[in-house]
Amino acid sequence: MKFQTLSVASSLAIMACMAAPAHAQDDDNDRANTIVVTAEFREANLQDTPIAITAVNAEMLEARGQTGIEDVAAQAPNVSLRPQPQNGGSGLIAFIRGVGQVDFNYALDPGVGLYIDDVFIPTLSSSLLELIDLERIEILRGPQGTLAGKNSIGGSIKLFSKKPQGDGSGSLSVEYGSYDLIQMRGMADIAITDNVSMRISGMGRSRDGYVAMLDYGALHPGSNVPTIGRGPYTNVDYESMGGENLVAARAALRYQGDRVEINISGDYTREDSQAVPTVLIAAGRPTGPGQGSDIFFNPTSSNPSTSLTNTFGTTPWLVGTDGNPVLLNCQFVPAGRYSCDSANSGGKIGGYDARYVSYSTFMDGMEGNPQAPYKPYFALPITEFEGWGIHGNLTFDVTDNVQLVYIGSYRAYTSKWGQDQDATPIPVAQLDNKLDHSAWSSEVRLNFEAAEGLVQGTVGGYYLDQEGEYEARVDLNYVNPTIDFIHGPDTTPSTSKALFATVTVNPFEDFGLTGGLRYTKDKKVYTYYRSNPDGTIPNGFNCFVANGVFSEPNCILSGLYDIPGLFKGDRWDWRLVADYRFSDSFLAYASASTGYKGGGVNPRPFVGDQALPFNPETATTYEVGFKSDFLDRRVRLNGAAFLNKYENIILGKQICPESSLPSPCLRPENIGSADVKGLELEVFAEPVDGLTIDGSLAILDFEYTTAVDASGNLVGTAINGNNITPYTPELTYSFGIQYDHELNSGGVITTRFDGQFQDDVFTNAENTDWGRVSDRFLGNFRLAYIAPDDDWTVALEVQNVFDKYYFMSKSDVTSNSLGVVTGVPGMPRTWSVAVTRNF
C-alpha cells in the first residue's frame, strides 16, 4: 500500500489521460489509459473501481475552455449545475440524479456535497467557484458519506488543487474577448528548501454586462411611464446586468518528509459584479383556469383583464405622467410572443437586441403613506462576494500499513446582492440581501491494510461548526395588503458530527466486497427576526385589514421576532458493494447505499402559521454498473443503472393551502416520496492516432409514489403527482471531438468541438408551464496552437457557437399574484483569444 501517494480522491476522468495533445502520446501505454485511483483507500486502476464517477483533469479543462464547475457538470450524466438566478446572488443550484437543493438559505442543507481539497463547502451561496489552478475535478453520483467528510444524499463534487512541486515552473495567460472580456491567470511554483515548496496562483476577470437596462419612459416618450434618470439628466442606457469583476488568489505550502506530508493553503475571492441578468418574459394578471394559457398575457395593453392594476389602497405603485397608476402588462415585455413593446423595431430596442433588454429599475418610488411609511426605497443592482479560507492537511505514515490523515479548515464570507423581481419600472417587488457565514471543520482518518492486502479500509470522524446570518430588506407591494420589512438578521448556528468506517475485503483475486457505515448527529437553530425598516417591531395587536390596508404597517408579521426554531436529529447510513472482474477488460459491480439530508424550519414565513418545521429527507440507492475496455483499448465504455427510493423529499412550495395566507408562500416541506430510475453511459474512443471522441448519455425517470388527492395533487400540496423535482432533465447527452495535428516543427494544432443537450426542466416544485425551461443544444469550439516544448499556447474559443437563445432559469410568480414571469438568459455567442506562456 503506497501511502506516500494515498489521499481520499476518487479518480481521474474516464478520458483524462488521453486528453493531452498528440505529441504526448508516444506509446501503447498512453492508449491503455491506466489511471491510478484511490477512491476506496487502495491504489487501483479506475476501471477496477466500482463507483459511478465523472472527472476531468487540468488538461481537459483547458482543452474544453471550461472555467466554471457548471461547465464541467454539463458533460456529466444526470448532473445539473447552474448559477443562482437574481434572487440567489453569487451561488449555485446543484442536482444529481434528481436530488439537490435550490434555496440558498442556511436553513436548508445542500443535497449535493461540494469539496475543495477534501474540505466540505457547506452552503450554496459560496459554491459558485472559480476554477483556479486545479489538478482535477471529480463528480461522484449517488449517496456519499461512509468514506469521508459530510454526508451528501445526492452525490459529491470534488475539486483538487495542484500541490506545490518546487520545480520553478510558472505560467501567465492573458485573454481578451466579447463584451470587453479581459482575463488574466498566473501561477508560480518555487522551492524554499529541499523539502518545502510553495505555489502561488491567481486570476482576475472583468467583462461588460450583456443585458441592457434601459429607461422605459425615455424610450417611450408618449407613454404614461415617467423617465427614470440618474442625477439631473436622463440617461437611456444607464446600467447593464451580467457584468463581472472578479479576482481570486491562492497560496499553498507543502512539506514532504520521509513519513510526513503537510499541506497548508489560503485562498481569497472578491467579486464586485452587476446584478444577475434578468429579463421579463410575460406580464399581466392571470385570469384563466390554467398556468399556460396565452390569454393570461394577451399582448393587448388596452385589455383590462390582462393588466395588473397597481395600487395600494388609493396610492399607486407607480404614478404615471398623467397622474394615474401605470398598469403592469405586455408593454414592458421587450421581446417574444407575449410582448407588445412599441419600441421593438425589427428585434431591436435602442440599438440593442430586444431579447437582452430589461426595463428593471430596482426602485420603489411609491409615495409614503400611513400603511407604508418607509418609501421610497431603492435596491442595489449588485452581486458582491468576499470570502476567504485556510486549509490544512497532514498525512503521517505510522507504519507501512497504517496511515493517519488530518484535514482542518476555517472559511468565511460575506455576500450581498440586489433583486428587482418584476424586471419592470413598476415596483412590484424589490429586495436587498446580505449573507454572513463562517465555518470550521476537522476530520481525522486512519487508513489501514492488513493480511497482505486481503483487507483494506479506513475509520474516521468529522466535525463541522457553522455560524450564519441572513438579512434582507423585503419590499413586496404585490402582497395584498403590501408588506415592507427587514428580514433578520436571522441567525442559524449549526453543528454536524459524524463517525464513519469503510472496509474492503478481497477473498479472491477477481472478487471484492466493500462495506461502509456512518453515524451522523446534526443540530441547527434558526431564529426569526422581523422588524420594520425603521427598526421598530410590527404591532400585531388587533391586526386587521380594512379597505385593502392593514391596521398597522406589517402587522401580519407580528410574533416573528426572536423566535427560535430547532432541528436535532441523528442517522445511521450504510453502503455495500460487490465487484467482480470477468476479464482484463470487463468489471461489473452492484451496490446499495443510503443517504440523508437534515431537516429544519421554514426560514421565510409571511405569517406565524407558515413557521413550520420539515423533517430530514432520505434515500436508498440500488446500482449496478460496469467498466470496460475493448478494441485494443482504443474504446472505453462505462455504464450504470440505478433505482433511488427517495423518501420525505424536501421541496419549496409556492402555494400553501394549509396556511391562513396561502399565497405568497415560500415554505420547504416534505412533500412526498418517489422512485427515481436512471441509466448512465460514458464513452471514450481514439479511432485513429490524434483523433479522440468522448461522450455521455443519461436517462432519468422520476415517479412520485405518494398518495394523491381528487385533483391528482400530492396530499396537502399543489404539486401534481406526475411532477418531477426542479432542474432535473429526463434526457441529457454530451460529446466532444478533438483532433491534434503535430507539425514538422514539433508544435501541435488542436481543434475541438463540444456539444451538450439538455431536456426540458422545471424551476419549481409545482412544475408550472411558466416555470418550464425548454430543451436546448449548445456547442462550443476551440482552436489552439501549442508551440514545441509547450512554451507558448495561443487559443481561439467560441462559446455558444450556434448563438442559441436560451434560459438558465426562470421565475414563475404568476401563481402568487405578482403577475410576471422572468428569466435569466444565457450569454449569446461569444469569442475570446488567449495567449499563455509557460515557464
Short mmCIF file of all heavy atoms in Angstrom, two decimals, residues 286 291 421 428 476 478-480 606 653-655 662-666 811-820:
data_model
loop_
_atom_site.label_atom_id
_atom_site.label_comp_id
_atom_site.label_asym_id
_atom_site.label_seq_id
_atom_site.Cartn_x
_atom_site.Cartn_y
_atom_site.Cartn_z
N PRO A 286 -52.99 37.02 -14.32
CA PRO A 286 -53.50 35.71 -14.73
C PRO A 286 -55.00 35.65 -14.48
O PRO A 286 -55.46 35.89 -13.36
CB PRO A 286 -52.75 34.73 -13.83
CG PRO A 286 -51.61 35.51 -13.28
CD PRO A 286 -52.06 36.92 -13.21
N GLN A 291 -52.16 27.53 -16.00
CA GLN A 291 -50.96 28.36 -15.92
C GLN A 291 -50.32 28.60 -17.27
O GLN A 291 -49.39 29.39 -17.37
CB GLN A 291 -49.94 27.70 -15.00
CG GLN A 291 -50.28 27.86 -13.54
CD GLN A 291 -50.18 29.29 -13.08
OE1 GLN A 291 -49.27 30.01 -13.45
NE2 GLN A 291 -51.13 29.74 -12.30
N GLN A 421 -37.52 41.95 -8.68
CA GLN A 421 -38.17 40.70 -9.00
C GLN A 421 -39.12 40.81 -10.19
O GLN A 421 -39.41 39.82 -10.85
CB GLN A 421 -38.94 40.18 -7.77
CG GLN A 421 -39.37 38.73 -7.89
CD GLN A 421 -39.91 38.19 -6.57
OE1 GLN A 421 -39.94 38.89 -5.57
NE2 GLN A 421 -40.31 36.94 -6.57
N VAL A 428 -43.07 46.22 -8.16
CA VAL A 428 -43.86 45.09 -7.67
C VAL A 428 -43.16 44.43 -6.49
O VAL A 428 -43.77 44.13 -5.48
CB VAL A 428 -44.10 44.08 -8.81
CG1 VAL A 428 -44.95 42.92 -8.31
CG2 VAL A 428 -44.77 44.75 -10.00
N LEU A 476 -42.44 44.16 -0.77
CA LEU A 476 -43.37 43.37 -1.58
C LEU A 476 -44.69 44.12 -1.71
O LEU A 476 -45.61 43.96 -0.89
CB LEU A 476 -43.59 41.99 -0.95
CG LEU A 476 -42.34 41.15 -0.65
CD1 LEU A 476 -42.72 39.83 -0.03
CD2 LEU A 476 -41.51 40.95 -1.92
N TYR A 478 -46.81 43.59 -4.08
CA TYR A 478 -47.85 42.73 -4.66
C TYR A 478 -48.66 41.98 -3.61
O TYR A 478 -49.74 41.48 -3.89
CB TYR A 478 -47.22 41.73 -5.63
CG TYR A 478 -46.42 40.63 -4.99
CD1 TYR A 478 -47.01 39.42 -4.61
CD2 TYR A 478 -45.05 40.77 -4.78
CE1 TYR A 478 -46.27 38.42 -4.03
CE2 TYR A 478 -44.30 39.77 -4.20
CZ TYR A 478 -44.92 38.59 -3.83
OH TYR A 478 -44.17 37.59 -3.26
N VAL A 479 -48.11 41.86 -2.38
CA VAL A 479 -48.87 41.21 -1.32
C VAL A 479 -50.04 42.12 -0.96
O VAL A 479 -49.91 43.34 -0.85
CB VAL A 479 -47.99 40.96 -0.09
CG1 VAL A 479 -48.80 40.33 1.03
CG2 VAL A 479 -46.81 40.07 -0.46
N ASN A 480 -51.18 41.54 -0.78
CA ASN A 480 -52.39 42.33 -0.51
C ASN A 480 -52.84 42.11 0.93
O ASN A 480 -53.36 41.04 1.26
CB ASN A 480 -53.51 41.92 -1.48
CG ASN A 480 -54.73 42.83 -1.36
OD1 ASN A 480 -54.62 43.95 -0.87
ND2 ASN A 480 -55.87 42.33 -1.80
N PHE A 606 -44.44 34.25 6.06
CA PHE A 606 -45.07 35.56 5.93
C PHE A 606 -46.10 35.78 7.03
O PHE A 606 -46.47 36.92 7.31
CB PHE A 606 -45.74 35.68 4.56
CG PHE A 606 -44.77 35.76 3.42
CD1 PHE A 606 -44.38 34.61 2.75
CD2 PHE A 606 -44.22 36.97 3.03
CE1 PHE A 606 -43.47 34.68 1.70
CE2 PHE A 606 -43.31 37.05 2.00
CZ PHE A 606 -42.94 35.90 1.33
N LYS A 653 -42.52 25.10 -1.52
CA LYS A 653 -43.85 25.30 -2.10
C LYS A 653 -44.10 26.79 -2.33
O LYS A 653 -43.74 27.62 -1.50
CB LYS A 653 -44.93 24.74 -1.19
CG LYS A 653 -44.79 23.26 -0.86
CD LYS A 653 -46.05 22.69 -0.23
CE LYS A 653 -46.49 23.45 1.01
NZ LYS A 653 -47.66 22.85 1.66
N GLN A 654 -44.76 27.12 -3.44
CA GLN A 654 -45.16 28.50 -3.70
C GLN A 654 -46.60 28.76 -3.28
O GLN A 654 -47.02 29.91 -3.17
CB GLN A 654 -45.02 28.81 -5.19
CG GLN A 654 -43.59 28.80 -5.70
CD GLN A 654 -43.48 29.30 -7.11
OE1 GLN A 654 -43.17 30.47 -7.36
NE2 GLN A 654 -43.75 28.42 -8.06
N ILE A 655 -47.36 27.69 -3.07
CA ILE A 655 -48.74 27.80 -2.60
C ILE A 655 -48.89 26.91 -1.38
O ILE A 655 -48.53 25.73 -1.41
CB ILE A 655 -49.74 27.38 -3.70
CG1 ILE A 655 -49.57 28.26 -4.94
CG2 ILE A 655 -51.17 27.47 -3.19
CD1 ILE A 655 -50.41 27.82 -6.12
N PRO A 662 -52.46 31.52 1.99
CA PRO A 662 -51.95 30.52 1.05
C PRO A 662 -50.89 31.06 0.10
O PRO A 662 -50.00 30.32 -0.34
CB PRO A 662 -53.19 30.06 0.30
CG PRO A 662 -54.34 30.40 1.20
CD PRO A 662 -53.93 31.66 1.91
N SER A 663 -51.00 32.35 -0.23
CA SER A 663 -50.02 32.97 -1.12
C SER A 663 -49.89 34.43 -0.73
O SER A 663 -50.90 35.09 -0.44
CB SER A 663 -50.48 32.84 -2.58
OG SER A 663 -49.58 33.48 -3.44
N PRO A 664 -48.66 34.97 -0.66
CA PRO A 664 -47.40 34.32 -1.00
C PRO A 664 -46.95 33.30 0.04
O PRO A 664 -47.28 33.40 1.21
CB PRO A 664 -46.43 35.50 -1.06
CG PRO A 664 -46.96 36.47 -0.07
CD PRO A 664 -48.45 36.36 -0.20
N CYS A 665 -46.19 32.34 -0.46
CA CYS A 665 -45.64 31.31 0.41
C CYS A 665 -44.36 30.79 -0.22
O CYS A 665 -44.30 30.58 -1.44
CB CYS A 665 -46.65 30.16 0.58
SG CYS A 665 -46.05 28.82 1.62
N LEU A 666 -43.35 30.62 0.58
CA LEU A 666 -42.09 30.02 0.15
C LEU A 666 -41.65 29.05 1.24
O LEU A 666 -40.66 29.27 1.93
CB LEU A 666 -41.02 31.11 -0.07
CG LEU A 666 -41.29 32.12 -1.18
CD1 LEU A 666 -40.28 33.26 -1.12
CD2 LEU A 666 -41.24 31.44 -2.55
N SER A 811 -38.34 32.36 -13.35
CA SER A 811 -39.07 32.61 -12.11
C SER A 811 -40.54 32.82 -12.46
O SER A 811 -40.90 33.81 -13.10
CB SER A 811 -38.51 33.83 -11.38
OG SER A 811 -39.25 34.10 -10.21
N ASP A 812 -41.36 31.86 -12.07
CA ASP A 812 -42.81 31.95 -12.32
C ASP A 812 -43.48 32.40 -11.05
O ASP A 812 -43.59 31.64 -10.09
CB ASP A 812 -43.35 30.59 -12.76
CG ASP A 812 -44.88 30.58 -12.79
OD1 ASP A 812 -45.47 31.66 -12.89
OD2 ASP A 812 -45.46 29.48 -12.72
N VAL A 813 -43.90 33.63 -11.02
CA VAL A 813 -44.58 34.16 -9.84
C VAL A 813 -45.97 34.66 -10.22
O VAL A 813 -46.50 35.58 -9.63
CB VAL A 813 -43.76 35.28 -9.17
CG1 VAL A 813 -42.65 34.70 -8.32
CG2 VAL A 813 -43.17 36.22 -10.21
N THR A 814 -46.58 34.01 -11.22
CA THR A 814 -47.98 34.32 -11.52
C THR A 814 -48.89 33.70 -10.46
O THR A 814 -49.95 34.23 -10.14
CB THR A 814 -48.37 33.76 -12.90
OG1 THR A 814 -48.19 32.34 -12.90
CG2 THR A 814 -47.52 34.38 -13.99
N SER A 815 -48.45 32.54 -9.93
CA SER A 815 -49.32 31.82 -9.01
C SER A 815 -49.50 32.53 -7.69
O SER A 815 -50.45 32.25 -6.95
CB SER A 815 -48.75 30.41 -8.77
OG SER A 815 -47.44 30.49 -8.24
N ASN A 816 -48.61 33.45 -7.32
CA ASN A 816 -48.79 34.18 -6.07
C ASN A 816 -49.14 35.65 -6.33
O ASN A 816 -48.85 36.52 -5.52
CB ASN A 816 -47.53 34.08 -5.19
CG ASN A 816 -46.29 34.63 -5.88
OD1 ASN A 816 -46.39 35.29 -6.91
ND2 ASN A 816 -45.14 34.36 -5.30
N SER A 817 -49.75 35.90 -7.49
CA SER A 817 -50.36 37.20 -7.81
C SER A 817 -49.37 38.29 -8.16
O SER A 817 -49.78 39.44 -8.33
CB SER A 817 -51.26 37.69 -6.65
OG SER A 817 -52.26 36.74 -6.37
N LEU A 818 -48.09 37.97 -8.27
CA LEU A 818 -47.14 39.01 -8.65
C LEU A 818 -47.36 39.42 -10.10
O LEU A 818 -47.18 40.56 -10.47
CB LEU A 818 -45.71 38.50 -8.44
CG LEU A 818 -44.59 39.54 -8.39
CD1 LEU A 818 -43.45 39.01 -7.55
CD2 LEU A 818 -44.07 39.91 -9.76
N GLY A 819 -47.77 38.47 -10.95
CA GLY A 819 -48.18 38.80 -12.29
C GLY A 819 -47.06 38.94 -13.30
O GLY A 819 -47.25 39.59 -14.33
N VAL A 820 -45.88 38.36 -13.05
CA VAL A 820 -44.79 38.43 -14.00
C VAL A 820 -44.10 37.08 -14.10
O VAL A 820 -44.13 36.28 -13.17
CB VAL A 820 -43.75 39.51 -13.63
CG1 VAL A 820 -44.36 40.89 -13.63
CG2 VAL A 820 -43.10 39.21 -12.29
#
